[in-house]
Amino acid sequence: MTTNAPRPEVLRYTAFSSSPDGGNPAGVVLDATALDDGDMLAIAADLGYSESAFLTALPEGLGGQEGRAYSIRYFSPKAEVPFCGHATVAAAVALAERMGPGQLVFATPAGTVPVVVTEEDGTVRATLTSVEPHVEEITAADLAEALAALGWPTTDLDPAFPPRIAFAGARHLVLAAATRARLADLSYDFARLEALMHRLDLTTVQLVWRESAAVFHVRDPFPVGGVVEDPATGAAAAAFGAYARELGLVPEDAVLTLYQGEDLGRPGKLTVTLRVGDPRVRVSGEGTRIA
């Protein structure tokens, strides 16, 4: 951005909640054409949210309805990330307020992500469809290092949920707590976990506790992004849905509810939908502007 260029409008939205005080806040720049990488990183750092979204025109040849298809990039206060679910939802809600609900297409660094936005009784809801996911094992040494950084003994893990690295646009280490109390007590070695996550190319660690067959509580340490914890994590929710399906922990056709942010005082709700015959994962939630 040149010195004399006007600063673009930076919007503030929260995703996965209809209340500005809930969910995960994100910065949204609907026209980032004049911004370079340093500008976007500086805006994200100034906002201090876990991620912010920056939109530009869609490259030719990728299709999408004119005016409803964009390229999108995501920056945390410390670095660019390949995909961010809550900032995608926030951007989709911001666009819907200007052009109405309907279908959107985002070309992300991780691949093409379609989003459908609906509105009912004044509440706006966005549903993103992930890129094709995959799940991989983690070595015993890397798992031991992750647990040491978290301060979790192996006995605090739920043996029904094997630790795995799951991807649905970004990589997340999935670890399941044996109790809700274990999940609630999060105090970890920031630098140690950050170093491991950089080495394994992880975006967050997805900590989960199963309340019932289709209801989970989750938390996401995010030291690589420069914040202790992400309040509501759409990319990790998509990765978790792929993980749970591949390991047979939920049916191939399922709707899961993930509650996140309660322990931070920013409660949010993420809906994860799995469909038979479609490897992709759908993540949906409400969103609203932060005044």
Side-chain angles (χ1 to χ4, degrees):
M1 185 170 64
T2 63
T3 303
N4 296 325
R7 179 184 174 92
E9 183 180 17
V10 181
L11 307 173
R12 293 165 173 81
Y13 278 77
T14 194
F16 302 115
S17 174
S18 60
S19 167
D21 298 323
N24 197 353
V28 178
V29 176
L30 294 180
D31 184 4
T33 306
L35 302 180
D36 61 21
D37 290 11
D39 297 326
M40 289 185 272
L41 183 61
I43 289 171
D46 182 57
L47 285 171
Y49 297 151
S50 55
E51 278 106 356
S52 295
F54 299 85
L55 279 61
T56 55
L58 192 71
E60 291 185 9
L62 289 184
Q65 182 181 346
E66 185 176 355
R68 304 191 72 93
Y70 299 85
S71 290
I72 186 169
R73 295 174 68 185
Y74 313 95
F75 283 79
S76 78
K78 290 182 71 173
E80 185 173 11
V81 298
F83 176 65
C84 173
H86 88 272
T88 300
V89 168
V93 172
L95 288 169
E97 288 188 350
R98 286 152 179 77
M99 62 181 66
Q103 295 185 349
L104 298 164
V105 176
F106 292 116
T108 82
T112 302
V113 175
V115 181
V116 177
V117 185
T118 59
E119 182 177 0
E120 184 175 351
D121 298 329
T123 298
V124 182
R125 186 177 186 85
T127 300
L128 66 86
T129 299
S130 77
V131 299
E132 188 164 337
H134 62 261
V135 179
E136 63 189 68
E137 295 193 7
I138 181 172
T139 69
D142 288 338
L143 174 60
E145 178 63 12
L147 294 176
L150 289 167
W152 286 24
T154 56
T155 52
D156 280 350
L157 293 175
D158 184 341
F161 287 73
R164 294 287 190 275
I165 294 173
F167 169 90
R171 288 163 57 85
H172 306 266
L173 172 60
V174 180
L175 298 174
T179 65
R180 181 66 178 91
R182 172 69 278 178
L183 185 69
D185 183 15
L186 181 62
S187 178
Y188 67 91
D189 186 325
F190 190 97
R192 188 171 183 178
L193 188 60
E194 181 184 19
L196 175 67
M197 292 173 68
H198 277 303
R199 182 162 60 79
L200 298 180
D201 191 27
L202 300 175
T203 298
T204 75
V205 178
Q206 173 85 327
L207 305 175
V208 307
W209 174 73
R210 188 173 203 164
E211 177 182 310
S212 64
V215 176
F216 298 84
H217 294 257
V218 301
R219 301 184 73 173
D220 282 80
F222 188 34
V224 295
V227 296
V228 173
E229 183 177 353
D230 202 18
T233 318
F240 175 72
Y243 157 91
R245 176 177 54 195
E246 179 161 318
L247 272 67
L249 301 168
V250 299
E252 290 186 43
D253 191 272
V255 177
L256 312 178
T257 300
L258 276 58
Y259 291 105
Q260 189 174 354
E262 294 174 342
D263 298 294
L264 290 173
R266 293 195 64 92
K269 180 180 177 182
L270 302 87
T271 302
V272 175
T273 302
L274 307 172
R275 295 181 181 175
V276 173
D278 188 347
R280 301 172 301 170
V281 180
R282 288 160 178 81
V283 178
S284 60
E286 299 171 345
T288 191
R289 186 164 185 172
I290 301 172

